[in-house]
Amino acid sequence: MGLFDFFTKKNTSSEVAKKRLQMVLEYERKGLPPNFASILQEDLKGLFKKYPQFDSNNVEVELKEENGKDQLWISIPFKG
């Protein structure tokens, strides 16, 4: 442990577990299956393989809350 490690916040296993639990609760409140983001991510990867302009292997899907609103966040990067 370095001197400045005391001042930096690290992701402890309890914080990771807390985030996962919050995600599961949010999915339940919305009536979504627990693996909704992974199912959608795999579907989008399959869909965007048709378009060579996109990097379909790095599609990201997340549920986020911003400004008090729940949002489905999808990132489909261009190849470059």
Side-chain angles (χ1 to χ4, degrees), residues 2 5 14 23-24 29 35-37 45 55-56 58 60 79:
D5 290 344
S14 64
M23 184 179 73
V24 168
R29 275 186 238 133
N35 55 350
F36 171 76
K45 281 181 178 179
D55 182 4
S56 63
N58 289 310
E60 295 179 51
K79 284 185 178 175

Side-chain angles (χ1 to χ4, degrees), residues 3-33:
L3 177 64
F4 295 105
D5 290 344
F6 179 75
F7 298 106
T8 59
K9 186 176 179 179
K10 294 182 177 180
N11 281 338
T12 62
S13 62
S14 64
E15 290 171 348
V16 172
K18 181 180 174 182
K19 285 183 180 181
R20 285 184 182 162
L21 180 59
Q22 288 173 333
M23 184 179 73
V24 168
L25 291 173
E26 277 198 40
Y27 279 36
E28 282 186 12
R29 275 186 238 133
K30 291 174 179 50
L32 300 172

Side-chain angles (χ1 to χ4, degrees), residues 38-49:
S38 359
I39 293 170
L40 183 57
Q41 184 179 26
E42 290 305 313
D43 285 349
L44 290 172
K45 281 181 178 179
L47 176 68
F48 278 90
K49 280 185 180 176

